[in-house]
Amino acid sequence: MDLLLDIEQRLGEPLQAFTDLLFVMDKHGAILDCRFGDPSMYSDSFEKTREKTIQDFLSSEAGDRLNFHLSQARQVGKAASFEFPLMMEGRELWFDARLVRSSDSRFILSARDITKYKRTEGRLKRQLQRINALRSIDFAIASGLDLNLLLSILLDRVIETMHVDAAAVLLLDPKLNELTFASGKGFHTNILQHTRLKTGQGYAGRVALDRRIINIADLTKNKTEFERSPLFPSEKFVVYYGAPLIAKGRVLGVLEIFHRSHLHPDEDWMDFLNIISGQTAIAIDSAMMFKELQKSNFELSMAYNATIDAWSRTLDLRDRDIEGHTRRVTDITLRFATLAGIKDSDLIHIRRGATLHDIGKVAIPDEILFKPGPLDQDEWETMRQHPKYAVDLLSPIKYLEHAMEIPHWHHEKWDGTGYPDRLGGEEIPFSARLFALVDVYDALTSDRPYRRAWSKQDAVQYIENQSGKHFDPRLVPEFLNLVSANGY
Ligand code: C2E
Ligand code: SIN
Ligand code: SIN
Ligand code: FE
């Protein structure tokens, strides 16, 4: 067993400085001699190296690799480097090994203990994975997903990153002081779906009340605590963690983590549990805020529409003859706009604009508006102000800024002879060109204080005649199709 003496005498101290383990073996891996840099560390394990092969100490995977390198070194005479793990007294140690051939039948394996480096590397890998998980969650929060989808993504990340079997989120109803199930992943049964726990009740209820993480390291010894479902034991959970979800100082719920075998979480794992709980709380908070905002936007928009309808009814009430005109032109205009390819999202503005198109007439005196005959020049001057009055009236209202085209320009003409701005051709916004056709057709076929209704044929003929004069010639055929198809 003094094969190494020769080498040691030649290399002396430096060898000790560069290796932790040194083996001499034959071509099959049988150990002929060995040395340990720090004998106290390894000697117990290698006490009986006699009669053994180095493969006896290696996992089968690492043994295969060693065999491969041995045969390479034999055939090609090449030195090889590789890493391998060793189990020693229940601890996994990692070595960086170098294998060289010293003679036909002898090989020297020197190995350096890199366990510390490996652990750091593993820790860095896990930290990177956690950071990536957090970033993807941040991204999901920022994209304003709905809460269920958000929680589902989040729980997938929790399970994957924390290497646990199941996770769930319970949400706290602050009015009822009750936790209910919101989302879960990794369960075999639906035991948690009907969870209803008062704060203070059960593990989760205590988490919410105390605002602290609760850990049950062995659930099998705490059976009585799980009253949530008689099916609970069938999940065979061993470990429970409950973490409070707190945002802006309010408890929003509980993140629950379940594992079917024992867990040995390190400091990083616990840190991550804290961070992910904070993140989950933020996700819930922002999703709820988003929902609130949508709700209040919806309510606001209902209020707007009610206001608009109320205004236009005031006008209709005053001018009984145009009662129904507003509603009709609005309906037909929306249909025409859809056919003409106006985007759905713009239809709301078209609807509001059409409803309010003649709102400026509230400023026209009765004597003019209800005059049973033709208007004189002064009266016309006043009447032609009604689009301007509409702009004055509506422009301070922010939510109508995209609804102004029709009230403002519905009396402009394609040939530039209309009012109030004498716009021509495509200077006139599309919605106003489209609306003009509907407005005139409906006016002509209705009774007015100043004349009786025209027949439909006369109105159609008038529209055709005004194509390229009053009206956009490309829109006229489309409009007349719509009229005949719907019997307007
Ligand atoms: P309105 O009655 O709603 O008419 C809207 C548009 O339809 C008119 O815009 C005009 O382009 C067309 N229109 C309506 N009736 C006739 C008609 O008998 N013949 C022809 N060729 N076109 C017609 P316009 O002309 O700018 O008038 C705007 C508003 O002025 C009218 O809205 C109505 O309220 C009032 N108005 C127009 N003409 C008279 C009138 O002779 N007497 C009275 N009292 N008011 C009038
Ligand atoms: C490896 O290098 O694949 C092992 C890393 C580790 O388990 O720490
Ligand atoms: C828990 O809070 O996680 C368990 C409580 C119960 O099931 O009763
Ligand atoms: Fe008008």
Side-chain angles (χ1 to χ4, degrees):
M1 285 290 276
D2 282 336
L3 291 164
L4 284 168
L5 258 182
D6 175 41
I7 306 170
E8 282 173 332
Q9 273 159 4
R10 274 190 279 141
L11 292 176
E13 295 287 308
L15 185 69
Q16 297 288 327
F18 287 114
T19 60
D20 295 306
L21 299 178
L22 201 56
F23 295 92
V24 178
M25 58 201 165
D26 72 8
K27 61 184 177 183
H28 303 296
I31 296 169
L32 306 174
D33 195 5
C34 59
R35 285 282 185 284
F36 310 114
D38 177 359
S40 66
M41 259 190 89
Y42 314 111
S43 56
D44 284 354
S45 311
F46 289 104
E47 221 167 32
K48 298 197 178 84
T49 56
R50 202 181 287 272
E51 315 284 304
K52 291 218 165 139
T53 66
I54 198 152
Q55 288 89 337
D56 293 336
F57 297 96
L58 299 176
S59 69
S60 69
E61 194 262 336
D64 287 347
R65 254 186 304 152
L66 180 74
N67 287 335
F68 169 76
H69 291 303
L70 270 173
S71 77
Q72 285 282 97
R74 232 166 38 222
Q75 284 158 23
V76 203
K78 238 175 58 186
S81 288
F82 56 97
E83 291 181 2
F84 66 91
L86 278 181
M87 287 304 291
M88 281 188 197
E89 279 113 41
R91 284 198 323 142
E92 187 183 54
L93 300 182
W94 275 85
F95 293 92
D96 181 18
R98 217 156 294 262
L99 181 73
V100 292
R101 189 174 65 162
S102 79
S103 75
D104 275 353
S105 56
R106 266 178 212 154
F107 296 85
I108 297 172
L109 180 78
S110 70
R112 190 155 176 72
D113 188 338
I114 54 163
T115 309
K116 241 192 255 166
Y117 159 76
K118 275 287 178 191
R119 294 221 169 107
T120 311
E121 187 190 57
R123 191 174 165 197
L124 285 176
K125 263 192 218 160
R126 285 190 296 274
Q127 275 174 347
L128 197 65
Q129 197 193 14
R130 284 164 190 170
I131 289 168
N132 283 335
L134 289 174
R135 278 185 38 200
S136 72
I137 290 167
D138 270 344
F139 183 76
I141 294 174
S143 51
L145 296 177
D146 105 295
L147 185 57
N148 284 332
L149 197 54
L150 207 54
L151 290 180
S152 160
I153 292 173
L154 214 136
L155 291 177
D156 280 339
R157 292 285 162 283
V158 165
I159 288 177
E160 180 184 296
T161 314
M162 303 185 79
H163 306 287
V164 291
D165 289 325
V169 168
L170 307 180
L171 289 181
L172 181 67
D173 180 331
K175 284 193 206 97
L176 300 176
N177 254 324
E178 203 169 70
L179 290 163
T180 53
F181 176 86
S183 190
K185 284 286 169 88
F187 295 93
H188 297 157
T189 62
N190 60 358
I191 44 155
L192 288 197
Q193 312 248 334
H194 309 290
T195 298
R196 227 164 242 290
L197 290 170
K198 290 278 176 201
T199 49
Q201 187 191 1
Y203 297 137
R206 247 187 290 148
V207 170
L209 188 67
D210 299 348
R211 298 169 160 243
R212 273 193 302 115
I213 291 179
I214 286 185
N215 167 225
I216 308 300
D218 194 346
L219 286 171
T220 57
K221 294 180 186 150
N222 290 268
K223 280 191 187 98
T224 50
E225 279 279 0
F226 276 85
E227 300 146 6
R228 243 188 270 184
S229 160
L231 281 176
F232 204 89
S234 72
E235 289 277 359
K236 301 204 183 331
F237 289 130
V238 175
V239 177
Y240 173 86
Y241 275 87
L245 302 174
I246 302 173
K248 297 173 188 155
R250 283 190 308 142
V251 177
L252 303 177
V254 174
L255 171 67
E256 300 195 285
I257 287 175
F258 299 90
H259 199 54
R260 296 191 176 90
S261 49
H262 289 281
L263 268 181
H264 306 283
D266 57 13
E267 211 178 303
D268 288 341
W269 193 94
M270 288 306 297
D271 282 350
F272 189 74
L273 178 59
N274 275 308
I275 295 171
I276 201 81
S277 314
Q279 209 70 350
T280 310
I282 290 169
I284 295 168
D285 186 52
S286 68
M288 289 197 312
M289 258 172 30
F290 190 71
K291 214 166 125 194
E292 273 303 303
L293 203 67
Q294 269 186 329
K295 200 172 130 217
S296 61
N297 273 345
F298 177 73
E299 280 166 1
L300 217 56
S301 123
M302 293 307 282
Y304 291 160
N305 290 343
T307 312
I308 293 170
D309 288 347
W311 282 351
S312 88
R313 263 199 308 279
T314 331
L315 187 66
D316 287 4
L317 262 170
R318 186 166 158 237
D319 184 354
R320 309 219 51 115
D321 287 323
I322 65 162
E323 225 187 89
H325 167 72
T326 305
R327 209 195 53 248
R328 269 193 319 273
V329 296
T330 303
D331 289 349
I332 300 172
T333 301
L334 284 175
R335 230 173 248 239
F336 193 15
T338 309
L339 280 180
I342 286 182
K343 279 188 301 183
D344 279 3
S345 58
D346 287 337
L347 290 181
I348 180 70
H349 304 304
I350 303 274
R351 193 185 99 80
R352 288 172 180 166
T355 308
L356 294 171
H357 75 276
D358 267 346
I359 194 71
K361 282 184 181 170
V362 296
I364 308 293
D366 281 3
E367 317 83 79
I368 300 175
L369 192 62
F370 302 133
K371 186 172 177 184
L375 304 174
D376 67 29
Q377 202 173 336
D378 281 354
E379 289 165 338
W380 252 121
E381 205 53 51
T382 305
M383 181 54 87
R384 286 157 68 102
Q385 298 300 312
H386 80 272
K388 286 272 189 224
Y389 290 144
V391 174
D392 292 346
L393 207 62
L394 303 179
S395 59
I397 303 168
K398 177 94 174 112
Y399 75 88
L400 291 176
E401 67 185 347
H402 301 296
M404 295 302 291
E405 289 174 355
I406 291 174
H408 194 166
W409 290 301
H410 69 282
H411 286 296
E412 299 291 351
K413 293 184 178 178
W414 184 256
D415 63 11
T417 62
Y419 62 92
D421 295 325
R422 299 182 70 88
L423 301 180
E426 297 196 348
E427 284 175 346
I428 309 165
F430 188 65
S431 63
R433 274 182 269 148
L434 192 140
F435 178 82
L437 277 159
V438 184
D439 186 37
V440 171
Y441 181 80
D442 193 80
L444 290 176
T445 52
S446 308
D447 287 335
R448 285 287 184 266
Y450 54 97
R451 56 145 180 81
R452 304 292 299 172
W454 292 16
S455 71
K456 286 183 184 179
Q457 294 102 293
D458 286 350
V460 167
Q461 210 181 346
Y462 179 80
I463 300 267
E464 278 171 344
N465 176 265
Q466 289 293 313
S467 179
K469 298 177 198 161
H470 190 154
F471 306 116
D472 179 345
R474 284 161 307 181
L475 285 177
V476 169
E478 278 191 66
F479 177 68
L480 294 178
N481 278 341
L482 179 76
V483 166
S484 73
N486 293 276
Y488 292 137

